[in-house]
Amino acid sequence: MKLRPSLWIVPIVAAIGVAVTLAFILIGALSDGDDLTAAPTGGDLLELLAVIAIVAGVFALIALVCIAIPFARIDERGFWQFTQGQGMYLVRPLGHGERIVVSERQCFVLCADGEYERLRIRRWTLSKRTWAVLEARYPLEQRQDAD
């Protein structure tokens, strides 16, 4: 199962881009010696809003592209993660008697001795639908072994 970030990251990334742009504009205005207490004219305000809209759109588009690319994968072999330049590599292979389980907020590997090892997947990083599929596919209940 491929894991992608949630859509809520798009407005956050766009807001960060706008904040950085406004900081650069403010620093530029201060270094030019402009009077920041004067009210902006209509043309200046429109230009500022256009720049903010363009920057927010560019950052949102970059975030949408990042959402389209999965950052990790879980399958019967273990937990895979995407690394730059190397593609997906197996971060945590599953040994004999181990399995992946999902709790309310995080994914774990249930070891053969009954201990839990945390994976780098948390609920807030994934969409609700993806997390629901993970919970259904890898439930937390312990398997009852036949005696």
Side-chain angles (χ1 to χ4, degrees):
M1 169 177 206
K2 294 179 181 175
L3 306 176
R4 291 178 174 88
S6 180
L7 261 176
W8 63 265
I9 200 142
V10 174
I12 290 174
V13 170
I16 290 171
V18 168
V20 168
T21 302
L22 288 176
F24 280 129
I25 290 172
L26 182 64
I27 290 170
L30 288 175
S31 66
D32 291 343
D34 292 343
D35 183 20
L36 297 178
T37 59
T41 61
D44 291 340
L45 188 60
L46 277 176
E47 288 176 7
L48 180 63
L49 290 176
V51 167
I52 288 173
I54 290 170
V55 168
V58 168
F59 275 77
L61 184 62
I62 291 170
L64 284 172
V65 168
C66 290
I67 287 174
I69 300 169
F71 69 90
R73 184 177 71 188
I74 290 180
D75 60 17
E76 66 280 351
R77 293 178 284 176
F79 173 63
W80 299 74
Q81 192 169 14
F82 182 77
T83 58
Q84 189 175 6
Q86 296 179 359
M88 289 268 188
Y89 76 99
L90 188 58
V91 176
R92 174 58 169 89
L94 292 179
H96 181 71
E98 295 180 337
R99 67 184 183 107
I100 294 175
V101 295
V102 177
S103 73
E104 294 177 6
R105 293 187 215 128
Q106 194 167 359
C107 287
F108 297 93
V109 172
L110 178 60
C111 300
D113 60 359
E115 293 190 22
Y116 292 95
E117 180 181 328
R118 290 184 181 188
L119 293 178
R120 298 178 203 159
I121 303 169
R122 290 178 175 69
R123 183 177 186 171
W124 61 269
T125 60
L126 301 176
S127 66
K128 289 180 183 177
R129 186 178 64 190
T130 304
W131 192 259
V133 170
L134 271 177
E135 285 183 326
R137 194 175 288 179
Y138 304 108
L140 185 61
E141 307 86 50
Q142 303 252 351
R143 289 186 290 194
Q144 300 296 328
D145 296 331
D147 290 327

